[in-house]
Amino acid sequence: MPTDTTAPPQRAASLSDDDRLLVAHCAALCFPSSSPAASAARSFQVHNASHPYPCAAFAFPPSWSAADWAAPSSAEDARQPFGDAEVDPALFPSLRAVGSGVPARANAAFLAAFCGLLDGSPLQTEVSRAVAEEKRIVFTGHSSGGSIATLAAIWFLEKCTRQGSVNQAHPFCVTFGAPLIGDNIFNHAVRREGWSQCILHFLLPLDIVPRIPLTPLASFREQIQAVLDWLSPQTPNNSPAGRSLVLPEYYETLLRSTLSIASYEACSFMGCTSSILGTLTSFIDLSPYRPCGTYYFLTSSEQLIVLTNSDAVLQLLFYFLQLDPQQQLLDAAARSLSAHWQYEPIKQCMPDIVCVDYLGAISSAVPGRQTDRAAIGGIELSKEAILPLNAAAQWEKQRQRNQTKIDESCQKIQEALRSLNEYKRTCELRGVSYYDSFKLQREVHDFNANVKRLELAGLWDEIIEMLRRRELPDGFEAREEWVRLGTMFRRLVEPLDIANYYRHSKNEDTGSYLSKGRPRRYKYTQKWQEQLQRAPAGSSLESCFWAVVEELQGEMIDGRTFEDLRDRVVKLESDAQGWYNSGRLGNDVFLGSSSFVAWWRTLPEQHRSASCIAKLISL
């Protein structure tokens, strides 16, 4: 692994004094002095506060029924054995991989519970009222209530982002002992949008509950119910005798599942090339759930260790549970269960607690050959634990270095684009569309343009492949400078790719450009722009104008009539007018010598006279 000692690219900031007060306030709501059973029947509570600033805190209670943790096998879209389902794109449009379009997956039961709150409770009304009163919105919850709070915070962030307005400050989400809720794409999307800093998870190192989703929820429903019964404030902790066997058995299952996932992920970011790793998931079901947000591990009443690196958090979720050789499994299970109700000290200790940058501390304290264990942040970890944690930190640094390397290629891309812009202007001065000139390839400058096209294709293909391999930071696709550059590249260069595709008649062997031949470098950059502008998917296809024209021309040559294609022709004309008026389609398309204009003039006179682009064409 690289040995660079520079600071991690995304360092966890210490909590401000106001944030500390809010965290303590959230803890007081989640762990009231009165019996927690009193508020369990409510779907949520709203508490308005004026200090440290006006805010409305929405507290979601936990559920102690396994049915609310694992969706039944009959649940729509719920995938066994882990009960995850695709998120609703209407509620969470940003929770997806932008380039590939793959939606995030989350716990189906928690998703259903949150959707039920939106539809069957005054949650939306109360949130809207608080926003109108210019209060900061705070979501909080303990146990499964924390997972619902996380979904509520992301829903609110989506809503505010789409509307282009966030009240005073970003919403604040504080959870205590919340179970993992989403997969890698879920985490990637939250980090890409810059929302991790709004979602704070407080965990005790031994708390079993955050790790429960790492076990097959459907297969262990009875055991999970036994755990929840033990944890429920309505159930005495002196559980029936039979449960003394169920709990350690489930705890052992949880340890095995967590070990499998932590080991698999560690091999991935440590660069393991063994073929066994590639086949592991074909016969072992690994939980899809991954940490998401900023994690604060409460190691003592004086210290919090802070992590934003999801890979490192996952490793700690395993290594914190490593058993002492003399420790009995039943005792370990009991300690892990008891930890779930030990968050109350946060109410008092937050003002003075110290936040420790955990990965920064590890980077400077990797155990040497003579050291078997190291105490960092108040927690003693073995050398076997420190190594993957350090590797996670180094992998994050490597991704940042990769981004720096890509940034250095920006000037080369801009120079090539300037050259192609000059080529386009030269063609227009000659009264020819640069698409048509490139397709004919009769002049030296057409050849030179093709060289630039290939050069740019290589640069952008490298970027896209690095994204697909997760070798760039999660926020790369949301960087405005790269979205703008990608849009400029796509609009200028994709018409040349289309011309090359049809010049070599690739459509005859492969199929149409749009359905079979379009490279990822254009699909990804288009989706970057649509995501940044919060535009509907597929609304930025102006760079594919010529591909649509080629398809329509080809179908007419093959014998289809205008009447068969009327709707598609009208849509093309309408799109072309809109793209031209917004500056996304160039003047050269409507030149008298343009192949598009030549084809358009073959359409019926009655249609042309009423066409919305008739005035744009040099008749």
Side-chain angles (χ1 to χ4, degrees), residues 28-43:
L29 292 177
C30 293
F31 306 100
S33 301
S34 59
S35 171
S39 61
R42 302 183 186 180
S43 57

Side-chain angles (χ1 to χ4, degrees), residues 195-491:
W195 296 341
S196 289
Q197 60 189 1
C198 304
I199 302 171
L200 314 184
H201 300 295
F202 287 80
L203 297 186
L204 283 163
L206 296 180
D207 189 353
I208 190 176
V209 169
R211 302 161 168 91
I212 287 178
L214 298 179
T215 61
L217 300 179
S219 304
F220 292 90
R221 188 183 297 268
E222 292 183 7
Q223 291 92 327
I224 292 172
Q225 186 60 65
V227 170
L228 297 178
D229 285 343
W230 197 97
L231 292 170
S232 172
Q234 291 97 334
T235 305
N237 280 359
N238 52 341
S239 308
R243 195 165 296 158
S244 63
L245 296 177
V246 172
L247 294 180
E249 286 177 0
Y250 177 73
Y251 189 77
E252 184 176 8
T253 299
L254 184 142
L255 285 175
R256 293 181 186 275
S257 297
T258 310
L259 169 62
S260 298
I261 297 162
S263 300
Y264 177 80
E265 291 293 335
C267 287
S268 297
F269 61 71
M270 292 176 77
C272 176
T273 57
S274 172
S275 59
I276 296 177
L277 184 65
T279 59
L280 179 66
T281 54
S282 63
F283 58 88
I284 296 179
D285 285 323
L286 296 178
S287 171
Y289 300 107
R290 297 295 182 269
C292 171
T294 302
Y295 279 77
Y296 293 81
F297 287 91
L298 185 65
T299 57
S300 70
S301 59
E302 294 86 26
Q303 193 164 251
L304 284 169
I305 57 176
V306 189
L307 286 167
T308 58
N309 185 313
S310 175
D311 293 324
V313 173
L314 185 63
Q315 297 302 312
L316 282 183
L317 289 178
F318 168 67
Y319 284 107
F320 275 154
L321 294 186
Q322 280 187 314
L323 297 177
D324 188 277
Q326 282 75 41
Q327 191 174 24
Q328 295 294 319
L329 195 61
L330 181 59
D331 294 337
R335 286 183 60 195
S336 192
L337 287 163
S338 299
H340 193 57
W341 282 106
Q342 295 174 5
Y343 291 92
E344 287 201 47
I346 291 178
K347 292 190 287 187
Q348 287 78 37
C349 70
M350 278 309 298
D352 302 315
I353 204 163
V354 176
C355 294
V356 177
D357 172 16
Y358 201 57
L359 289 188
I362 285 176
S363 297
S364 60
V366 178
R369 294 181 180 178
Q370 306 302 319
T371 307
D372 291 327
R373 305 186 72 82
I376 299 174
I379 294 291
E380 186 178 86
L381 292 175
S382 66
K383 179 170 62 177
E384 289 75 15
I386 296 295
L387 290 178
L389 288 171
N390 185 59
Q394 295 300 329
W395 172 237
E396 189 169 18
K397 292 178 185 178
Q398 182 60 52
R399 295 172 78 190
Q400 187 67 29
R401 285 194 291 268
N402 291 342
Q403 177 171 280
T404 301
K405 177 184 175 183
I406 292 298
D407 286 343
E408 291 171 355
S409 68
C410 183
Q411 184 176 356
K412 186 182 295 185
I413 292 174
Q414 290 173 333
E415 289 174 356
L417 290 177
R418 280 194 291 269
S419 176
L420 288 178
N421 257 320
E422 184 60 33
Y423 167 69
K424 181 180 179 182
R425 282 193 293 269
T426 301
C427 291
E428 288 184 29
L429 290 174
R430 295 171 55 238
V432 181
S433 161
Y434 85 117
Y435 174 86
D436 293 322
S437 180
F438 187 88
K439 188 176 180 182
L440 293 172
Q441 285 290 310
R442 291 176 177 171
E443 305 289 342
V444 173
H445 67 170
D446 299 323
F447 174 82
N448 292 335
N450 193 38
V451 172
K452 292 297 180 183
R453 177 186 72 87
L454 294 172
E455 179 183 323
L456 286 166
L459 291 169
W460 281 95
D461 284 345
E462 180 184 5
I463 294 172
I464 300 307
E465 284 308 306
M466 292 179 76
L467 281 171
R468 284 163 51 82
R469 296 192 299 263
R470 294 183 60 211
E471 293 176 358
L472 291 173
D474 293 301
F476 180 84
E477 293 174 294
R479 294 176 65 195
E480 290 191 29
E481 62 270 31
W482 274 99
V483 175
R484 287 195 299 269
L485 189 62
T487 301
M488 187 187 309
F489 159 73
R490 176 173 58 85
R491 290 176 179 171

Side-chain angles (χ1 to χ4, degrees), residues 10 94-105 154 182-196 288-293 308 310-311 399 466-479 524 528 531:
Q10 187 174 358
S94 296
L95 293 186
R96 60 189 174 92
V98 173
S100 65
V102 176
R105 299 184 70 89
I154 296 173
D183 65 357
N184 258 327
I185 294 177
F186 191 104
N187 169 56
H188 161 75
V190 169
R191 287 174 61 87
R192 182 192 67 231
E193 298 299 319
W195 296 341
S196 289
Y289 300 107
R290 297 295 182 269
C292 171
T308 58
S310 175
D311 293 324
R399 295 172 78 190
M466 292 179 76
L467 281 171
R468 284 163 51 82
R469 296 192 299 263
R470 294 183 60 211
E471 293 176 358
L472 291 173
D474 293 301
F476 180 84
E477 293 174 294
R479 294 176 65 195
Y524 274 58
W528 293 357
Q531 175 65 20

